[in-house]
Amino acid sequence: MTSALSYGDLFLTNLSQSFSTIDSENLADTSAFANGGTATVFNNAVVETDDTEVLTFATSSASGEKKDYSALAETYAIIVGNFVVDAGKTLSFNFTSALDLETSTDTSQQSKNASVVREVSFSLYDTSDISKETLPDFLTNLLSEPDSFEKSPLIFFSLSGDINTSGKNNFLTIDKSENVTIDTEFKDSNFGGSQKFASTFVRGSVKRSFNKQTNITLIALRRGQAKVAAPEASPTLILRSMPGSLGITTQGRRQGATSGRSYDRKVTKLTVGK
């Protein structure tokens, strides 16, 4: 059997400033093919937000056995929040983040391969130069095109990993700005052999003071993929499940008011073949 598992989470808690607006997208995509074999994919993706908290996590897994198959599970989430920090005030919050990546292949079947990738990150930007009239549209556009924002972040943190059983470009990395303090960091990995894994957990905090009133925009991202494949013959069975295919807006997000809690979950499982 060939299998791949990708998990990642990000929790932001105890924000010293309440969001004036917060919005999110939680997307998932699965596909599977089998010809004389079996392929299974699974996604469990969650986004939850509140006045002063953000959490998002996802598990993606794929497995295949016997003859020809391919299986792909991927998830993507973005959270965009906005708030104002008054002059002389300090912005602070705590965060935790974790990644778990695993791949396994049958050593007797070298032509089979498995790969996983996962990234979680948050960035905060000074958006005081954007007028109040155009700010709502700007924040909405960020949901669909976060990479189009060319400003340098005031604060950032990212955790990413990649494992591929058929290659050597395996990694597990942490990147952060000076305003991010890491209090706890755990890392463990094995990038050799037919069973590879990488696991990490980070706990930290953010603190920054402002000498003038500043409009702040938060972008939190979670994206990942699990994939397995064996040599494909001519397709005999193809199924595709898209509870919100990547790049297509799904329902369940909240705009404007931040009272209460917004919760969105995508869960899918698909098995094809014998």
Side-chain angles (χ1 to χ4, degrees):
M1 174 182 285
T2 305
S3 63
L5 173 69
S6 170
Y7 171 84
D9 66 41
L10 177 65
F11 296 78
L12 310 182
T13 59
N14 300 322
L15 270 78
S16 57
Q17 308 292 324
S18 296
F19 291 107
S20 56
T21 181
I22 191 164
D23 205 348
S24 64
E25 296 283 8
N26 187 22
L27 309 179
D29 192 12
T30 58
S31 62
F33 156 86
N35 177 28
T38 302
T40 299
V41 288
F42 172 76
N43 271 328
N44 181 11
V46 174
V47 169
E48 191 168 351
T49 60
D50 206 340
D51 286 7
T52 59
E53 293 186 357
V54 166
L55 71 86
T56 181
F57 62 85
T59 300
S60 298
S61 66
S63 62
E65 58 182 337
K66 298 179 182 177
K67 196 179 178 183
D68 299 333
Y69 57 81
S70 66
L72 171 67
E74 54 188 346
T75 60
Y76 170 83
I78 178 172
I79 301 166
V80 175
N82 186 261
F83 53 86
V84 174
V85 182
D86 290 331
K89 296 295 184 179
T90 297
L91 168 65
S92 64
F93 60 89
N94 301 321
F95 71 91
T96 63
S97 184
L99 295 185
D100 284 301
L101 307 175
E102 301 176 18
T103 61
S104 177
T105 55
D106 187 344
T107 55
S108 64
Q109 298 289 333
Q110 298 298 324
S111 59
K112 298 180 180 179
N113 67 82
S115 63
V116 288
V117 61
R118 181 67 65 180
E119 176 189 5
V120 290
S121 66
F122 64 80
S123 304
L124 294 104
Y125 300 85
D126 182 350
T127 45
S128 303
D129 59 333
I130 300 175
S131 67
K132 291 183 179 180
E133 292 75 19
T134 60
L135 185 61
D137 288 340
F138 167 79
L139 297 174
T140 299
N141 289 337
L142 279 181
L143 284 171
S144 58
E145 298 182 26
D147 295 332
S148 66
F149 195 29
E150 297 180 352
K151 278 194 173 187
S152 298
L154 298 174
I155 301 166
F156 70 87
F157 168 85
S158 69
L159 186 59
S160 59
D162 192 332
I163 300 178
N164 190 322
T165 58
S166 61
K168 297 181 179 180
N169 297 321
N170 304 304
F171 66 85
L172 182 62
T173 61
I174 299 172
D175 194 14
K176 70 179 188 67
S177 62
E178 294 181 355
N179 307 95
V180 177
T181 300
I182 293 180
D183 303 313
T184 303
E185 180 181 342
F186 165 82
K187 271 182 161 184
D188 192 15
S189 62
N190 175 24
F191 294 143
S194 60
Q195 295 184 329
K196 300 182 179 182
F197 74 88
S199 180
T200 185
F201 171 82
V202 177
R203 176 185 288 117
S205 60
V206 169
K207 189 174 184 180
R208 174 165 176 154
S209 299
F210 293 82
N211 55 21
K212 62 179 180 180
Q213 187 181 76
T214 307
N215 182 277
I216 298 293
T217 296
L218 163 75
I219 301 178
L221 291 171
R222 166 186 48 76
R223 40 194 166 197
Q225 181 185 95
K227 182 178 181 180
V228 298
E232 294 183 5
S234 41
T236 57
L237 179 61
I238 300 178
L239 294 180
R240 190 169 181 85
S241 170
M242 291 183 289
S245 62
L246 301 186
I248 299 177
T249 301
T250 60
Q251 300 299 315
R253 56 179 166 137
R254 177 186 52 167
Q255 297 180 349
T258 59
S259 59
R261 183 176 290 275
S262 175
Y263 179 82
D264 190 15
R265 184 171 197 146
K266 308 294 179 189
V267 180
T268 59
K269 184 176 182 180
L270 171 66
T271 299
V272 299
K274 298 181 179 180

